Amino acid sequence: MQKGQHNIMARRLTETELVLASHNKGKLVEIAALVEPLGYKVISAGDLGLPEPEETGSTYRENAELKAKAAALASGKPALSDDSGLSVSALGGAPGIYSARWAGPDKDFDAAMRRVADALLMTGQYDRDAKFICALSLCWPDGHIETFEGQVSGTICWPARGDRGFGYDPIFIPTGHDITFGEMDPDAKHAMSHRADAFRQLLAACLS
Ligand code: IMP
């Protein structure tokens, strides 16, 4: 189906409570900001004491679906999950689905951003094109899943700039702008992000 097209086959969400199947605080804040204004009450998987499933998928979609499914089955409520990452063209799409893992167990994103910059230097290419990609999955307790994929294009800059946002935001300049997501007003980022793109599709297809 083309992006932006209304998916009349998708199941619509009639429940008003949603579990957010993420343990990443940055993502929780951004997803809650998208769904709460629509009247949904959100509970985080962490607050319900649900374990974080291992991300064994080989795509954003597979990982988003396994996280949403685990939370929906364990909680008995519809669950929304996001799997996302930074894909750098000259690095063959890395860090990609391993974006969180590049930061290591201490979640050291200064080190992860430096690793991206060093890897880009090593390529000897001038290509700085990158994308943030997001798969958003909504799973019902009966196992039915709807998944939507969004992205935002941009370029990698170095050194990192700005202390807003999270993860790789300080090295990502979205196309058409001259500041990084780390320097940008959060509302401006939320309006153009990969998560917002996926969310617009979810909204059109499943939410009222
Ligand atoms: P996962 O989806 O939990 O595997 O983690 C995705 C990782 O991608 C995050 O830990 C961040 O490093 C990165 N990421 C995803 N979305 C964003 C974003 O909006 N800004 C910056 N980094 C992001």
Side-chain angles (χ1 to χ4, degrees), residues 4 9 19-20 24 32 63 72 76 82 117 122 132 141 144 149 186:
M9 302 304 288
V19 174
L20 293 189
N24 174 323
N63 282 332
D82 150 306
M122 295 288 289
F132 271 122
H144 181 86
E149 290 182 4

Side-chain angles (χ1 to χ4, degrees), residues 27 55 83-85 99-100 109 132 166 168-169 189 194-195:
K27 286 204 268 182
E55 295 185 11
D83 197 71
S84 49
S99 294
F109 280 98
F132 271 122
F166 67 98
Y168 297 89
D169 280 342
K189 177 192 168 187
H194 46 317
R195 207 161 286 107

Side-chain angles (χ1 to χ4, degrees), residues 54 68 85 97 100 102 105 116 118 128 138 143 175 183 203 206:
E54 208 187 324
I97 61 166
W102 274 35
V116 169
D118 287 348
R128 294 288 178 269
L138 177 60
T175 302
E183 297 172 300
L203 180 64
C206 302

Side-chain angles (χ1 to χ4, degrees), residues 91-112:
L91 303 182
I97 61 166
Y98 303 109
S99 294
R101 275 169 258 183
W102 274 35
D106 295 336
K107 301 192 191 322
D108 182 350
F109 280 98
D110 288 338

Side-chain angles (χ1 to χ4, degrees), residues 26 137 181:
S137 291
F181 269 170

Side-chain angles (χ1 to χ4, degrees), residues 72 118 136 192:
D118 287 348
L136 205 53
M192 73 177 77

